[in-house]
Amino acid sequence: MDLSIIIPVLNESKKIRIDIEAAAQFLLENNLSGEIIIADDGSSDNTCEIARQTPIEKSIKLHVLQATEHRGKGFALRQGFARSRGTFAMFADSGNTVPWENALRGLGLIQQGTCPIAHGSRKLAESEIVIQQKRKRKVSSATFRFLMHHSLGIPATLTDTQCGFKIYQGEIARELYAQAQMDGFLIDIEIIILAMQQDLNIQEFAIQWRCDLDSRLALTTNFSQIYKEWRQLKRRFCGRKTKNKAKNQTI
């Protein structure tokens, strides 16, 4: 199949039906064969039940991977990519914060051979922000980026490491996420470091984005888990030399 779409979820019963319907419509409108994988992170509501009951075109495969416990976004993504079969694979956060048509920009970069990994970015000049983050979230996000750049060697040319809209060559995605160990928020950073070690070029593309005011993640309330994962990454990767071929491109 052409494209595997992974949507990590945690208690998204109010959004999941729209997520699935929008993803399916994107595949159909662009003549892409594909699958939608709902990667649950131990939801305590009826997210998975609603997902399974959402009707979509029969040509599109729908998989619901229901977890028995809450472990984190990284765990959900690792399960989702392991299940994927597409020539290309991507993940998008729940809530339709980025219009699906934006994915064509990243797919184009990969199909043209420009890069094997394409990240959506909210920080590029061409990006359009429809609903802004609250000031407190902006400050914590800026602090996070500064620390990742300076403590883990993430290149400054990657302007938006935590944007929940990333696209990969399918086999490369499955290899990287199989090597990853993070269960939580820093899975994005870990994947970038693993890609850098393998000399894989990462390109960014501009997106339209609106802040999801009902987001399940807050840097301040998840600080202890993020700090724990940061220490794990420091022990695992610091001191190793990595080739940095991450570049920034807008289309």
Side-chain angles (χ1 to χ4, degrees), residues 31-82:
N31 297 313
L32 294 169
S33 61
E35 62 183 353
I36 300 170
I37 301 172
I38 304 304
D40 176 52
D41 181 27
S43 295
S44 57
D45 64 3
N46 59 343
T47 295
C48 292
E49 180 182 352
I50 294 174
R52 292 190 184 97
Q53 294 175 353
T54 301
I56 59 173
E57 174 64 40
K58 291 182 179 179
S59 62
I60 300 172
K61 305 297 182 182
L62 175 62
H63 309 288
V64 179
L65 310 182
Q66 186 168 4
T68 57
E69 62 178 325
H70 169 53
R71 292 180 55 177
K73 177 182 176 180
F75 172 78
L77 285 176
R78 290 193 288 113
Q79 303 308 302
F81 279 104

Side-chain angles (χ1 to χ4, degrees), residues 38 92 160 215:
I38 304 304
D160 195 0
S215 173

Side-chain angles (χ1 to χ4, degrees), residues 99-134:
W100 281 100
E101 289 300 310
N102 287 204
L104 296 177
R105 300 173 182 173
L107 284 171
L109 288 173
I110 298 174
Q111 290 172 323
Q112 294 161 16
T114 304
C115 60
I117 303 172
H119 288 185
S121 173
R122 300 161 288 186
K123 308 298 181 182
L124 302 177
E126 296 81 0
S127 299
E128 179 185 355
I129 307 302
V130 179
I131 300 178
Q132 294 277 357
Q133 290 177 317
K134 293 182 178 179

